[in-house]
Amino acid sequence: MIEYVRVALQGAGPLPSMKLLDLRFDDDSNIRRPHLQLTGGPSIDLPNVDIISYERCFIPFVAPVLTWFCLEAITISCAYLLDTLSKLATLENLHLRSCFLEGEVVGCSVTSLPRLKTFNLLRDEDRLTRARVYKELLEHLSMPSRAFIEVEYATESDDSSLESDHLDYIAPVILSVWREDPPCGMEFYGPHLRLYSLPLPSVNDELNEPFPDEADLKVRTVLYAFPPDVFAEGLRGRLVGDAQFASITTLSAPLNNWQSNDWTTVLRALANLRVLHLLYTDRLEDWHSEAENLTEEDEDMDEMKDAFTALASLSTPA
């Protein structure tokens, strides 16, 4: 069926009355098959379309006034994607969801998206896209520093695709965000790292947390940053750090986010930190026996001391 739609659209000539194109392919097979790609044939001419959404399908297009573009659950090469985006100078919102991004970007020019306001990049459910591909793609996209960026590179502790460099994509995001109006707030919440710009809520006795949900805060980016020890390890060399993170004045993180050595690394990277918000998160997941629960709770209590051990080490003269 999608083939008939493709042929019909490609043979229709310019479609000046169309404002939105939303194509979704579902074969009702109840089988996850997110990697369908159709890129053959001529481009469809969409002179006035400002929204295009493709799910499990793709048809080349020319859309000179496009502002919103979503690709979901397809296979697409990075080179082809960058070439497509290079023709979308008016784009404001870009969403890449559960797509398998493949191929090299060596030799590709940096693609400029001068009007971009929002960029969502969510890993495919089958976890086929490698972290290196995310990093290289982000390095080949130029966007305004104030654009909101969300990157979700979900993994599991037993994920065979987990790589030691799987958080390296954070580096090009940081370099982009810090070009103008550097963030001053950093929050670790669950597996995510959030960065905030001014203004932040004033610190007072009534403030239970520095980044309350009800406050109208300017979130600059939401990044998958799990496990946290890999992020801390990145601060020791793989990720950019001192020059950028020196602007951070407020940090919120779980007490048991890192062990003492990693806490020391993180706190040293935040040289101008003024507000430190520490919270307790219960990491107990298995309820086998009371004895086992007590043992795990004791381990959690030991980990809570690491943040204070790191603070003490920083205040002790060498």
Side-chain angles (χ1 to χ4, degrees):
M1 178 61 69
I2 193 66
E3 179 67 13
Y4 294 117
V5 173
R6 180 178 70 87
V7 172
L9 288 174
Q10 289 175 331
L15 300 168
S17 297
M18 185 179 292
K19 302 295 184 181
L20 179 152
L21 177 61
D22 185 359
L23 293 181
R24 306 180 186 184
F25 176 68
D26 189 351
D27 61 3
D28 296 323
S29 64
N30 200 30
I31 298 176
R32 285 192 309 173
R33 201 177 71 181
H35 307 310
L36 177 66
Q37 181 182 25
L38 295 172
T39 57
S43 299
I44 52 178
D45 190 358
L46 306 170
N48 296 312
V49 166
D50 61 358
I51 297 176
I52 292 179
S53 179
Y54 288 148
E55 182 177 345
R56 299 176 188 265
C57 60
F58 187 94
I59 302 175
F61 61 88
V62 176
V65 297
L66 192 69
T67 61
W68 198 94
F69 184 35
C70 178
L71 289 179
E72 184 169 353
I74 70 165
T75 290
I76 190 167
S77 74
C78 290
Y80 189 90
L81 175 62
L82 288 170
D83 182 65
T84 299
L85 296 177
S86 69
K87 303 177 179 68
L88 305 178
T90 59
L91 195 64
E92 297 180 358
N93 299 278
L94 174 60
H95 307 273
L96 304 177
R97 301 170 179 165
S98 301
C99 293
F100 176 30
L101 307 177
E102 62 178 357
E104 302 290 335
V105 296
V106 177
C108 294
S109 300
V110 173
T111 295
S112 178
L113 299 173
R115 297 188 183 180
L116 199 68
K117 297 178 180 178
T118 301
F119 179 33
N120 299 105
L121 178 58
L122 311 182
R123 192 184 188 192
D124 57 293
E125 294 181 5
D126 293 331
R127 299 186 176 92
L128 297 176
T129 304
R130 318 308 295 179
R132 172 188 57 80
V133 176
Y134 270 30
K135 181 175 183 290
E136 293 177 353
L137 176 65
L138 289 162
E139 289 174 338
H140 282 74
L141 287 176
S142 174
M143 63 193 82
S145 64
R146 295 176 181 269
F148 170 75
I149 303 175
E150 178 184 16
V151 181
E152 182 70 67
Y153 187 79
T155 61
E156 296 179 356
S157 58
D158 60 349
D159 187 355
S160 60
S161 68
L162 188 64
E163 303 157 336
S164 60
D165 63 348
H166 80 277
L167 296 184
D168 281 10
Y169 65 81
I170 292 177
V173 175
I174 289 174
L175 289 175
S176 176
V177 170
W178 253 266
R179 294 200 320 268
E180 183 182 353
D181 186 22
C184 57
M186 175 183 290
E187 178 184 30
F188 285 87
Y189 185 81
H192 297 107
L193 164 64
R194 297 174 182 170
L195 297 171
Y196 301 84
S197 284
L198 290 173
L200 297 179
S202 60
V203 178
N204 54 56
D205 294 338
E206 297 179 358
L207 185 66
N208 294 322
E209 55 183 301
F211 312 113
D213 293 336
E214 63 272 15
D216 186 19
L217 300 178
K218 184 177 181 181
V219 184
R220 299 291 298 281
T221 184
V222 177
L223 304 174
Y224 186 85
F226 188 84
D229 60 296
V230 175
F231 175 84
E233 179 64 29
L235 292 180
R236 290 191 277 267
R238 302 188 70 92
L239 301 179
V240 292
D242 295 346
Q244 286 74 30
F245 291 143
S247 68
I248 299 296
T249 59
T250 302
L251 169 66
S252 177
L255 276 163
N256 51 4
N257 219 39
W258 297 287
Q259 296 183 348
S260 57
N261 288 341
D262 289 338
W263 265 111
T264 301
T265 297
V266 172
L267 294 174
R268 281 179 174 164
L270 309 181
N272 295 309
L273 190 65
R274 298 174 185 173
V275 177
L276 176 59
H277 176 252
L278 300 175
L279 61 152
Y280 172 74
T281 57
D282 191 348
R283 298 197 307 182
L284 296 181
E285 297 178 357
D286 299 320
W287 298 86
H288 301 299
S289 70
E290 184 176 351
E292 289 180 359
N293 289 334
L294 288 174
T295 299
E296 292 178 4
E297 188 172 356
D298 288 342
E299 291 175 354
D300 262 5
M301 294 298 290
D302 287 340
E303 289 180 351
M304 287 196 301
K305 302 174 183 176
D306 289 335
F308 300 105
T309 301
L311 285 169
S313 69
L314 292 175
S315 62
T316 303

